[in-house]
Amino acid sequence: MKLKKINLYLQKYYRYIDSIFLSYWLGKFINNFIKNGNKKTIEAEFKKAYGYLKISKKCNLFLIFLECIEKVKPITNLKSITVSGKTREYPVILNKYKQRNISIKNLSKFINEQKNLFLYQRIVDALLDYKVNKNNLLIKRQVENIKDSVFNRFNIRFSKKRKRFKIS
């Protein structure tokens, strides 16, 4: 009797689970670091980070990563529309899936901006900083996002589609 591989699906956090790291969101996070098709080298760096956190810090990379995503996710984002030749931005409430995608992109930008030599050191430092809430750069990004949303809240009228009346 042969057993078929079953793709696990959990609606809250995961989509289809990756076979290497068993996490959909970590797979998306890894894909942000890929340059010139070097996915295997980046996965090796993530395995080093996983091993370091598991052995020396006695914590799980996946759980810390999901906690970081949930802490940093933005609630709103700006969309733009062109009205009479001017671009108007208005705030939009994001669904949970897009919130997590934006927080993953912000986290990968933060890791790429650090100056450590090895990628796994940057990953471990960023995730542990999240756990202790020392990460000022991402807090600044959240504050800027809220300020932009408040500043552009008057343009919300442009987000509604105009009703056109038919004259009969």
Side-chain angles (χ1 to χ4, degrees):
M1 181 174 175
K2 292 183 179 179
L3 296 175
K4 293 181 180 178
K5 285 187 175 181
I6 299 172
N7 288 333
L8 299 175
Y9 181 75
L10 181 61
Q11 231 171 1
K12 279 187 178 179
Y13 296 107
Y14 306 110
R15 299 288 175 151
Y16 290 100
I17 295 177
D18 186 24
S19 61
I20 297 172
F21 292 102
L22 301 176
S23 174
Y24 173 78
W25 297 109
L26 194 62
K28 287 192 83 61
F29 184 57
I30 289 171
N31 289 339
N32 286 330
F33 291 101
I34 295 175
K35 294 178 184 173
N36 302 327
N38 294 328
K39 189 169 184 175
K40 289 185 179 181
T41 56
I42 293 170
E43 286 176 350
E45 293 289 324
F46 273 87
K47 286 179 184 177
K48 288 179 188 176
Y50 177 76
Y52 176 77
L53 286 173
K54 183 109 176 165
I55 293 170
S56 65
K57 300 293 182 183
K58 296 183 181 176
C59 53
N60 193 351
L61 173 76
F62 307 124
L63 295 178
I64 294 173
F65 179 68
L66 288 175
E67 287 175 9
C68 294
I69 289 175
E70 290 300 317
K71 281 183 186 178
V72 182
K73 67 181 182 182
I75 298 170
T76 61
N77 198 10
L78 295 177
K79 283 195 172 183
S80 60
I81 189 170
T82 304
V83 178
S84 65
K86 292 184 180 178
T87 303
R88 307 281 185 179
E89 293 182 332
Y90 57 93
V92 177
I93 296 175
L94 300 171
N95 61 14
K96 291 181 181 179
Y97 180 73
K98 287 187 179 181
Q99 289 176 358
R100 292 184 186 117
N101 276 338
I102 290 172
S103 64
I104 285 172
K105 288 178 185 176
N106 289 340
L107 179 61
S108 63
K109 285 180 188 175
F110 175 70
I111 289 174
N112 284 330
E113 290 171 0
Q114 289 181 351
K115 296 180 180 179
N116 290 346
L117 185 60
F118 298 109
L119 179 63
Y120 77 91
Q121 289 176 343
R122 291 184 279 175
I123 293 166
V124 169
D125 291 342
L127 292 178
L128 292 178
D129 285 349
Y130 273 125
K131 195 171 182 181
V132 189
N133 292 329
K134 289 183 180 177
N135 204 332
N136 293 329
L137 182 63
L138 288 167
I139 293 170
K140 287 179 185 176
R141 284 186 184 156
Q142 283 181 332
V143 170
E144 288 173 4
N145 191 4
I146 292 170
K147 284 181 181 177
D148 290 340
S149 297
V150 169
F151 180 73
N152 292 313
R153 71 183 180 271
F154 297 111
N155 293 332
I156 200 110
R157 64 181 177 270
F158 297 119
S159 67
K160 299 176 184 173
K161 293 184 178 178
R162 295 182 183 173
K163 293 182 182 177
R164 298 191 181 221
F165 296 106
K166 293 182 180 178
I167 301 174
S168 53

